[in-house]
Amino acid sequence: MPKFHLAFFTNARPHGWGVNGPIPWSGHDSRPEVWESGSFLVDLARAIERAGFDYLMLEDHSVVADRYKGTTEVDLKHAIRGARLDPLPVITHLAAHTSRLGLVSTLSTSFYPPFLLARLMATVDHLSRGRAGWNIVTGGEDEAAQAFGIGEKMPPHDERYDRADEFVDIATQLWDAWQPDAVVHDEETGTYADHTKVRSFDYHGQYYRSRGPLNISRSPQGRPVFCQAGSSPRGRAFGARHADTIIAATAGEDPVAAAKAFRDDIRRLRTENGSNPDDCKVLFPILPVLADTQEEADAIAARLPKVDQNAIDRALAGLSADNNIDFSQFDLDKPLPEIETEGHRGTLAAFSKQGKTLREMVEARLGRSTRTLQFVGTPASVADRMGEVADQIGGDGFLIHAFPLTRRYIAEITDGLVPELQKRGLVRTTYEHERFRDNLLSF
Ligand SMILES: Cc1cc2nc3c(=O)[nH]c(=O)nc-3n(C[C@H](O)[C@H](O)[C@H](O)COP(=O)(O)O)c2cc1C
């Protein structure tokens, strides 16, 4: 069986802070003086690099959410989005503490001018010696549009992707403006860079204007690795066009079939747009539940998590922010009406179509759904099952995430599960290359 890739997904927030304060085994990690120093993420990055992960992806939202019940209370109480660090400087910090791990920061095409983003990512790619990645999001929250001064509302859903297409095209031209051999560093003639190999241009698009070149030479990877996570039809088309790796949030009566269908769809779209399907790795988010015995793991999975009022508030505050809709207006135990959203369309459509109640949506969001990929057992049995599932889906790999995240969970993955996967030849034991994209494309 061919190998598959592993990635890890989290954010720069008080780790271990759950829906009812710190959870057991969170140690001191949710304390502000600890998490705000970045030390937890440094230890996470080093642990997953030791385990051979392809990348760490840091998600991001840039404003305190106040759509739910019209107040910031829930967000700030639970540290949902109101206690964050900006992921871009964080990955730069992590680059100094690691040497092979891919480091992905989320940045929204709606909030950066293309030139600024291209400069920042080229810099991080240089500093990390070719390990920078960009999770391309378009951002959906109207409050963020107001915070960044771009208007009262975000542009409509599909238009945001049209803008993002143009954004990526400009950024790519900026990165490509420096030919690989433009820096000559010729001591005899005293010439640092050959101006004939650095292209000047004016870009006049429908949404953006920019003038190249960047004043930063071509970075080790040429451009960062592109990561993307949209699941709506427009989001998939965007991802299939640009992404080196796609994070696919899928759900269905048969979760393996749903995952396979998603991957097949991306591969079909790539074939249609003329790109090689094998050059885009589609990873599926999973949250393995691991224990010494199957019975213990089943018991942990069965009691996780408690859907109390805090859990409901927390989940609905996030959902409200993502979709610019106050979900406190709906009855928790009635099927959710059809809702038009300009926010996270794919996820909401998947739930409301099935006549789910809001409570069921919350339970699913908290990881209790049987409709997403589940792995519960000992490190050995979960490794076996992951191998089977990867084979049925067709390949590529998984993205591990956990909320709230603790050092104990990281150790279960890196020192319990991964060695079992390695013994079976399912994941790498050492990095093949120095750069992120080369590792991603090595199998
Ligand atoms: C695993 C995962 C991580 C995501 N991370 C972010 C993020 O950090 N910031 C953000 O604004 N959106 C994030 N999103 C949202 C996606 O970028 C996208 O907006 C969302 O999935 C809806 O896309 P769609 O309308 O095309 O379905 C994430 C989605 C998933 C599934």
Side-chain angles (χ1 to χ4, degrees):
M1 198 186 303
K3 287 199 196 67
F4 56 75
H5 299 267
L6 289 176
F8 209 101
F9 166 56
T10 187
N11 36 35
R13 69 176 292 273
H15 292 283
W17 189 273
V19 291
N20 291 294
I23 62 160
W25 299 97
S26 60
H28 301 298
D29 288 315
S30 66
R31 300 173 76 93
E33 68 275 18
V34 178
W35 78 265
E36 287 168 353
S37 76
S39 61
F40 177 89
L41 290 172
V42 168
D43 290 343
L44 167 65
R46 293 176 70 120
I48 63 175
E49 180 171 79
R50 187 164 50 79
F53 276 55
D54 282 80
Y55 62 91
L56 172 63
M57 198 276 253
L58 293 182
E59 70 99 67
D60 193 34
H61 286 91
S62 39
V63 291
V64 181
D66 63 359
R67 183 69 63 153
Y68 182 61
K69 299 181 177 172
T71 166
T72 56
E73 183 185 346
V74 173
D75 185 335
L76 292 173
K77 176 176 183 203
H78 296 291
I80 304 175
R81 293 171 183 189
R84 286 286 170 93
L85 297 178
D86 186 299
L88 189 62
V90 173
I91 65 162
T92 312
H93 180 62
L94 299 181
H97 293 274
T98 51
S99 62
R100 291 291 180 276
L101 183 69
L103 297 162
V104 182
S105 174
T106 298
L107 293 94
S108 170
T109 51
S110 299
F111 308 137
Y112 282 82
F115 192 88
L116 177 60
L117 186 142
R119 275 193 99 217
L120 288 166
M121 290 298 328
T123 301
V124 180
D125 202 43
H126 275 299
L127 291 174
S128 63
R129 308 311 300 144
R131 294 183 293 126
W134 172 24
N135 178 33
I136 310 177
V137 301
T138 64
E141 295 150 273
D142 289 341
E143 291 77 9
Q146 293 154 23
F148 284 93
I150 61 171
E152 280 303 300
K153 283 183 164 299
M154 290 298 293
H157 180 272
D158 285 6
E159 184 189 319
R160 290 203 303 276
Y161 279 117
D162 294 343
R163 288 170 175 266
D165 269 329
E166 193 175 294
F167 190 117
V168 175
D169 286 343
I170 303 180
T172 302
Q173 289 198 29
L174 289 164
W175 288 314
D176 285 346
W178 287 66
Q179 289 180 26
D181 55 353
V183 175
V184 289
H185 196 271
D186 187 332
E187 294 183 13
E188 261 170 42
T189 61
T191 306
Y192 183 76
D194 178 350
H195 78 281
T196 65
K197 294 184 173 169
V198 181
R199 187 172 79 89
S200 301
F201 63 90
D202 283 305
Y203 189 108
H204 285 196
Q206 189 181 344
Y207 303 106
Y208 298 100
R209 285 180 166 210
S210 188
R211 182 172 189 277
L214 287 182
N215 62 343
I216 297 176
S217 64
R218 192 178 185 83
S219 72
Q221 297 188 105
R223 61 170 176 82
V225 166
F226 293 158
C227 174
Q228 204 265 341
S231 53
S232 66
R234 185 65 184 89
R236 289 186 196 200
F238 178 83
R241 179 169 168 213
H242 302 289
D244 300 296
T245 177
I246 289 179
I247 298 164
T250 57
E253 291 307 328
D254 179 346
V256 177
K260 180 174 173 12
F262 187 102
R263 181 172 180 273
D264 288 349
D265 195 37
I266 296 295
R267 293 177 69 82
R268 175 187 61 80
L269 289 166
R270 282 183 71 88
T271 306
E272 279 171 20
N273 71 26
S275 32
N276 183 350
D278 294 338
D279 291 350
C280 176
K281 307 299 177 189
V282 181
L283 306 192
F284 295 90
I286 59 168
L287 201 171
V289 176
L290 298 160
D292 293 4
T293 63
Q294 187 66 47
E295 295 68 38
E296 242 179 279
D298 287 337
I300 295 170
R303 71 167 185 256
L304 254 179
K306 200 163 103 220
V307 182
D308 58 11
Q309 189 58 43
N310 274 340
I312 290 168
D313 278 346
R314 194 184 187 287
L316 292 185
L319 203 60
S320 300
D322 282 346
N323 293 291
N324 300 312
I325 294 164
D326 180 358
F327 277 83
S328 69
Q329 67 188 285
F330 302 115
D331 188 326
L332 271 178
D333 295 303
K334 291 213 173 110
L336 195 68
E338 283 279 332
I339 295 172
E340 277 294 304
T341 178
E342 294 298 334
H344 288 197
R345 207 170 261 179
T347 334
L348 195 58
F351 285 109
S352 40
K353 234 190 253 155
Q354 297 147 14
K356 293 267 165 211
T357 68
L358 204 47
R359 193 183 300 279
E360 288 164 335
M361 286 180 67
V362 169
E363 286 174 355
R365 204 173 163 93
L366 293 173
R368 280 177 110 189
S369 167
T370 52
R371 298 171 48 80
T372 53
L373 294 174
Q374 299 277 330
F375 297 100
V376 179
T378 64
S381 71
V382 168
D384 283 337
R385 182 73 190 129
M386 282 173 72
E388 286 161 20
V389 169
D391 196 36
Q392 287 160 9
I393 293 173
D396 291 352
F398 302 97
L399 174 98
I400 296 186
H401 69 106
F403 167 80
L405 180 60
T406 64
R407 289 168 191 276
R408 175 173 154 160
Y409 188 74
I410 297 165
E412 287 174 5
I413 297 294
T414 57
D415 299 277
L417 177 61
V418 170
E420 292 295 334
L421 292 168
Q422 288 171 334
K423 275 188 221 163
R424 289 159 179 74
L426 292 170
V427 298
R428 69 162 62 85
T429 49
T430 54
Y431 289 96
E432 298 77 17
H433 302 283
E434 292 188 0
R435 294 175 189 163
F436 177 9
R437 186 179 294 100
D438 294 338
N439 283 315
L440 200 58
L441 293 181
S442 61
F443 48 86

